Amino acid sequence: MEQQPASNPPTAPDRGSARDRGSAPGRRAASDPRAAIETVFRLEYPRVIAAVARVVRDVGIAEELAQDALVAALEQWPRDGVPDNPGAWLTAAARHRAVDLVRRRENYARKLQEMGRDLQTTTAPPEEPADADDIDDDLLRLVFTACHPVLSAEARTALTLRLLGGLSTPEIARAFLVPEPTVAQRIVRAKKTLATRNVAFEVPYGPDREARLGSVLDVIYLIFNEGYAATAGDDWLRPALCEDALRLARQLAALMPKEPEVHALAALLEFQASRTPARTAPDGSPVLLRDQDRRRWDRRLVARGIAALERAGATSPSGPPGPYALQAAVAACHAHAPTYEDTDWTAIATLYGLLAVRAPSPVVELNRAVAVSMAEGPGPALGIVDGLAAEPSLREYHLLPSVRGDLLVRLGRPAEARTEFERAAALTGNERERELLLARADECRRT
């Protein structure tokens, strides 16, 4: 089996490619202003909300004001032409509305003092932001706010995809295979919780930052994991979710260049994403790591992963590596190996041993068992897997019987392996993976 991520993924299906959001608006503005507006809004949505949230201190209100700016653009751009810097126009227009809103509030005097000279401008908003660094700081604040620990993991993921990924409620609903009202309620409740709990729109420092940063990285990783190995549905991969998570990780690394675990997460996702072209057969069925044609791995992404991992090491010259650095090092071992058999499995087993100390979990131990099976043989690995049988968190985890079945096959016990593969097939929610597991069970039956 291909090694799975060291944390449990949530759920999510495919949608339109994120590449559609990356086209340059300037090339389309002259002939199709509405298309330019849609493209710019997709690209600039997080920055607009971040800039406005700094003024109103409420992400829900900030999103409404961002939508108001979009309406203004839809009214003015087709008539007056697309501005030279459409992203700055949207940001300034939304902030101008935020200023007007704050001025109408009873606490106008206090807000006026906080916002300083920004509130002194009552004329049309400027085309350019005052300071690009301020916008980036605002975006960083938005990241930490959307992933605040007061929210549930599901709410953090949905809100992150909404505010930072620019996804609509229907898109997120399709991603999580849940009804649209469910997603809408999660987002509304998340915004309300942030407001009622008076969560500060800020980047924490010291121990608070370390605690909050873990939540931010986990949400991005969970989004990627669901795209990398979908937990439900008919598709094995959902590339658009991987693209969204990878884009967020790169963005976070640019905003926080001195945080080693941020670079480590980016490295991990670059390495994992590099395998995407080889992970499915032409019919969409999964191709396990041992059977993948490594010539199809994206070497450009591998090079990016190596560079990001080096940056992680350079920003943390002393002290033990963090969990994402260790997982990225595991992925790097796979990336450097010309074949599955040539992989340095001893090094990978050691890395998982360190990860089990740094961030212990039953899933990490299961991954270590896979590495031990290749480094030392299936016998020692089976002992590790059997020791996990009583773990409550793995009771419904299909990869536990799947890995055990693979070890039993290698030990020459096909009848027992067949039972494990059938049990794993019954536990998985992904149709492609179920077909793969049942095929392996059938092989055991024929043996």
Side-chain angles (χ1 to χ4, degrees):
M1 295 291 291
E2 179 169 0
Q3 285 180 291
Q4 297 298 308
S7 31
N8 297 321
T11 22
D14 207 354
R15 57 179 179 80
S17 172
R19 297 187 191 92
D20 297 339
R21 303 194 296 276
S23 55
R27 291 196 293 268
R28 304 169 63 184
S31 59
D32 191 355
R34 287 186 174 272
I37 294 170
E38 180 182 352
T39 300
V40 170
F41 196 68
R42 283 279 196 177
L43 291 170
E44 299 295 333
Y45 188 66
R47 291 177 179 270
V48 174
I49 293 176
V52 176
R54 181 172 64 167
V55 178
V56 298
R57 305 286 171 173
D58 187 309
V59 294
I61 295 175
E63 188 175 17
E64 293 175 5
L65 295 173
Q67 295 287 345
D68 289 344
L70 173 63
V71 172
L74 288 169
E75 293 173 349
Q76 296 180 37
W77 292 8
R79 181 189 66 226
D80 303 334
V82 179
D84 293 335
N85 192 333
W89 190 99
L90 285 170
T91 300
R95 290 180 68 182
H96 184 66
R97 284 162 172 74
V99 167
D100 289 342
L101 176 64
V102 173
R103 286 186 171 183
R104 291 194 300 267
R105 290 178 174 175
E106 294 180 354
N107 61 353
Y108 161 76
R110 180 173 58 85
K111 288 294 183 180
L112 179 62
Q113 185 178 8
E114 291 177 0
M115 292 188 297
R117 61 186 179 86
D118 284 346
L119 281 176
Q120 297 172 12
T121 302
T122 58
T123 57
E127 294 276 327
E128 298 286 343
D131 189 337
D133 291 337
D134 286 345
I135 299 297
D136 285 345
D137 288 343
D138 290 340
L139 192 59
L140 194 56
R141 293 184 186 99
L142 183 61
V143 172
F144 277 90
T145 302
C147 297
H148 197 282
V150 299
L151 304 177
S152 67
E154 295 82 3
R156 283 180 235 157
T157 304
L159 194 60
T160 299
L161 286 173
R162 175 62 175 246
L163 300 181
L164 297 164
L167 277 67
S168 66
T169 298
E171 286 175 327
I172 300 172
R174 287 197 300 272
F176 284 83
L177 297 179
V178 294
E180 288 184 30
T182 300
V183 173
Q185 288 174 5
R186 286 179 183 173
I187 294 173
V188 169
R189 288 171 182 168
K191 295 174 185 176
K192 184 176 180 180
T193 298
L194 294 175
T196 56
R197 296 286 291 272
N198 294 318
V199 172
F201 187 68
E202 64 180 6
V203 178
Y205 292 92
D208 288 342
R209 171 182 281 195
E210 184 176 349
R212 293 266 293 277
L213 181 59
S215 175
V216 172
L217 299 181
D218 288 348
V219 166
I220 295 175
Y221 192 33
L222 289 172
I223 294 170
F224 181 89
N225 286 350
E226 182 53 36
Y228 189 75
T231 55
D234 297 329
D235 297 321
W236 171 242
L237 296 177
R238 289 160 186 163
L241 279 176
C242 291
E243 291 174 11
D244 280 326
L246 189 54
R247 177 170 54 84
L248 290 173
R250 290 170 178 170
Q251 194 173 48
L252 192 62
L255 294 172
M256 305 182 70
K258 296 182 180 180
E259 292 289 345
E261 277 291 84
V262 173
H263 292 297
L265 175 64
L268 174 60
L269 301 195
E270 300 280 9
F271 285 130
Q272 300 280 53
S274 72
R275 305 178 199 166
T276 299
R279 294 191 69 239
T280 53
D283 64 355
S285 59
V287 178
L288 301 181
L289 180 61
R290 68 187 178 203
D291 301 323
Q292 289 174 16
D293 181 357
R294 300 191 175 207
R295 294 171 298 180
R296 298 185 62 200
W297 286 8
D298 190 330
R299 290 297 157 183
R300 179 181 59 86
L301 293 181
V302 170
R304 291 186 65 120
I306 293 171
L309 189 56
E310 289 175 350
R311 284 192 292 272
T315 54
S316 180
S318 60
Y324 286 110
L326 291 169
Q327 292 181 72
V330 169
C333 288
H334 289 298
H336 287 302
T339 67
Y340 186 77
E341 291 73 21
D342 291 332
T343 304
D344 191 345
W345 292 105
T346 300
I348 291 177
T350 300
L351 288 167
Y352 272 122
L354 294 173
L355 184 60
V357 174
R358 188 74 171 80
S361 83
V363 177
V364 169
E365 197 66 3
L366 184 61
N367 282 331
R368 186 174 75 86
V370 174
V372 168
S373 75
M374 298 301 298
E376 303 176 23
L382 185 61
I384 298 173
V385 172
D386 287 344
L388 296 172
E391 282 289 339
S393 60
L394 297 183
R395 190 167 299 153
E396 304 297 323
Y397 192 50
H398 70 284
L399 290 181
L400 179 62
S402 175
V403 170
R404 192 170 191 276
D406 185 66
L407 297 176
L408 291 170
V409 166
R410 292 169 58 190
L411 288 169
R413 296 156 62 179
E416 296 172 72
R418 176 189 175 189
T419 300
E420 295 296 332
F421 287 132
E422 289 175 343
R423 178 166 163 254
L427 289 174
T428 184
N430 185 277
E431 188 58 34
R432 290 290 189 178
E433 193 167 23
R434 181 179 295 108
E435 292 171 357
L436 173 67
L437 291 165
L438 290 176
R440 298 207 66 190
D442 190 56
E443 289 176 8
C444 294
R445 180 186 60 79
R446 291 198 303 270
T447 301

